Amino acid sequence: MSNVVIEVSDLAKRYGSLNAVDGISFDVKANEIFAFLGPNGAGKTTTIEILQCLRRPTSGIAKVLGLDIANNGNGKEIRRRIGVLPQDFNGLDRLTVKENISLFASMYGRARDPDELIRLLDLEDKAKTRFDKLSGGLKQRVGIAAALVNDPDIVFLDEPTTGLDPKSRREVWQVIQSLKQEGRTVFLTTHYMEEAERLAARIAIINRGRIAAIGTTGELLEKYGGDRFLIIEDVLSEKLSRLKSQFPDLREANSDIMIRVESLKDVSQVIETLNNLGVNQGIQIRNPSIENVFLRLVGARLTEEGKLA
Ligand code: ATP
């Protein structure tokens, strides 16, 4: 089988006059965690619901596990081989964790053992707890268990950690990493930059229905992440002139100065030079960041709430 499990070419979805998905192309490789990073309304859910054969595209081609979504007969087979955590996942409040997972499992002819999923999601202590008594993070873990009942090749997670506190978010991240370790492919949508950066092998930055850039985190940082700087705080004026003669390109920002360094290797050399000039304290490194990548490509910042600012 080819290494590519999702192929999308010039895919578009119009709602009236709105181009919700506006001609996007990308591939997802087997066993990678692939992230769609973008603000609310960027077209993330629309894209993944097209791939799940829940919505029809206006135009373009998409293949999931080699199966063309345009062929009506493929919908059933695709859904049999994928798992989905929808953005608005909700279990049944009055049922326990185990009853919920068993219920989802009962919808499939061949399903994984609910106890095995409970172990995998580290939910043993909560197996007999009612769904409505769970924290947001635990509810999402039940949702991921539900997405795994059919032992899917590809798992779609639509904003799996939106609204969670940082600790629960980290727990869900661990689960997502374990999905990869199990050999699955993960298609993640998120508006959290840190989430995409931490988890994904490749990130597509999506805004207004278009992919602004796509690549490994390293590639995006290299291309759009901005320069690497050493920042030296509160430089005394008598040292400034010596620094200026050594580093003619240095930038002054308030009482700080910034020295651009080409690569990580150069950092230690520059620090040594600084030490020789008597600057030993208040030195910080500012690396290229995914925040900068986003800002450069989209022209706005992505807030915690998933808005552009
Ligand atoms: P969110 O995180 O808010 O769900 P998203 O990136 O998943 O954002 P989509 O839900 O795909 O974005 O929505 C893309 C655009 O299409 C939005 O402007 C949305 O309002 C619009 N839209 C989505 N579904 C429909 C629909 N059924 N009818 C009309 N417009 C729609």
Side-chain angles (χ1 to χ4, degrees):
M1 200 180 116
S2 103
N3 191 30
V4 171
V5 291
I6 299 175
E7 294 171 74
V8 171
S9 178
D10 215 10
L11 195 71
K13 176 73 178 178
R14 261 198 309 278
Y15 297 113
S17 61
L18 174 74
N19 291 317
V21 174
D22 196 9
I24 58 173
S25 302
F26 62 92
D27 287 344
V28 179
K29 301 190 181 86
N31 197 213
E32 76 173 335
I33 302 181
F34 179 83
F36 249 24
L37 173 68
N40 302 330
K44 305 186 294 294
T45 302
T46 301
T47 305
I48 64 173
E49 290 193 356
I50 291 171
L51 297 175
Q52 292 156 30
C53 305
L54 298 177
R55 300 191 204 191
R56 285 201 157 276
T58 308
S59 58
I61 298 171
K63 289 184 186 167
V64 177
L65 296 161
L67 301 163
D68 191 335
I69 59 152
N71 182 339
N72 278 336
N74 285 337
K76 207 171 159 196
E77 173 68 2
I78 289 172
R79 281 194 298 272
R80 196 179 65 76
R81 293 175 60 190
I82 64 172
V84 181
L85 174 71
Q87 209 173 86
D88 50 2
F89 170 78
N90 237 317
L92 288 166
D93 276 344
R94 288 164 182 278
L95 298 187
T96 65
V97 165
K98 184 166 177 183
E99 286 165 348
N100 264 289
I101 296 172
S102 302
L103 181 69
F104 284 105
S106 71
M107 294 172 191
Y108 287 88
R110 258 183 335 132
R112 290 177 83 178
D113 176 7
D115 288 320
E116 187 195 325
L117 290 167
I118 284 169
R119 268 196 307 280
L120 181 73
L121 276 295
D122 209 7
L123 286 165
E124 285 114 317
D125 293 350
K126 303 287 174 188
K128 292 186 179 146
T129 305
R130 267 173 50 160
F131 187 79
D132 59 357
K133 300 279 185 279
L134 300 175
S135 67
L138 289 167
K139 284 181 174 169
Q140 286 301 74
R141 270 147 66 182
V142 174
I144 295 175
L148 297 176
V149 290
N150 57 331
D151 199 12
D153 295 327
I154 308 173
V155 188
F156 291 90
L157 304 173
D158 197 358
E159 306 226 4
T161 68
T162 292
L164 298 186
D165 61 76
K167 183 168 167 279
S168 308
R169 185 169 298 155
R170 270 158 222 283
E171 286 169 9
V172 172
W173 288 353
Q174 275 184 1
V175 171
I176 296 172
Q177 273 156 340
S178 73
L179 299 180
K180 178 180 161 53
Q181 280 150 21
E182 281 196 310
R184 296 176 212 283
T185 307
V186 179
F187 193 130
L188 168 76
T189 78
T190 184
H191 65 251
Y192 294 120
M193 287 180 278
E194 191 189 353
E195 181 161 293
E197 193 173 359
R198 289 274 186 105
L199 297 177
R202 288 188 309 134
I203 301 174
I205 293 186
I206 179 163
N207 187 42
R208 291 168 169 262
R210 295 194 174 188
I211 291 179
I214 190 164
T216 65
T217 309
E219 285 164 356
L220 294 178
L221 288 174
E222 171 94 35
K223 246 180 160 166
Y224 311 104
D227 291 327
R228 178 176 285 110
F229 284 99
L230 280 179
I231 301 172
I232 307 148
E233 294 169 346
D234 298 328
V235 177
L236 298 173
S237 51
E238 72 257 25
K239 284 190 180 152
L240 187 58
S241 55
R242 275 194 283 161
L243 284 173
K244 274 184 178 165
S245 62
Q246 191 74 36
F247 302 103
D249 297 333
L250 67 76
R251 292 190 202 167
E252 293 176 62
N254 301 321
S255 60
D256 299 342
I257 67 152
M258 297 167 66
I259 298 170
R260 202 167 73 83
V261 274
E262 286 287 336
S263 70
L264 270 179
K265 268 192 278 172
D266 294 341
V267 170
S268 55
Q269 207 182 341
V270 173
I271 289 180
E272 201 181 311
T273 311
L274 289 171
N275 290 346
N276 291 339
L277 294 170
V279 179
N280 303 300
Q281 285 177 341
I283 305 173
Q284 288 177 10
I285 183 162
R286 188 162 87 203
N287 289 312
S289 68
I290 204 83
E291 281 83 0
N292 269 347
V293 172
F294 197 88
L295 183 63
R296 277 211 186 173
L297 289 167
V298 175
R301 288 182 194 284
L302 185 53
T303 69
E304 273 289 290
E305 293 76 37
K307 297 195 177 108
L308 293 179

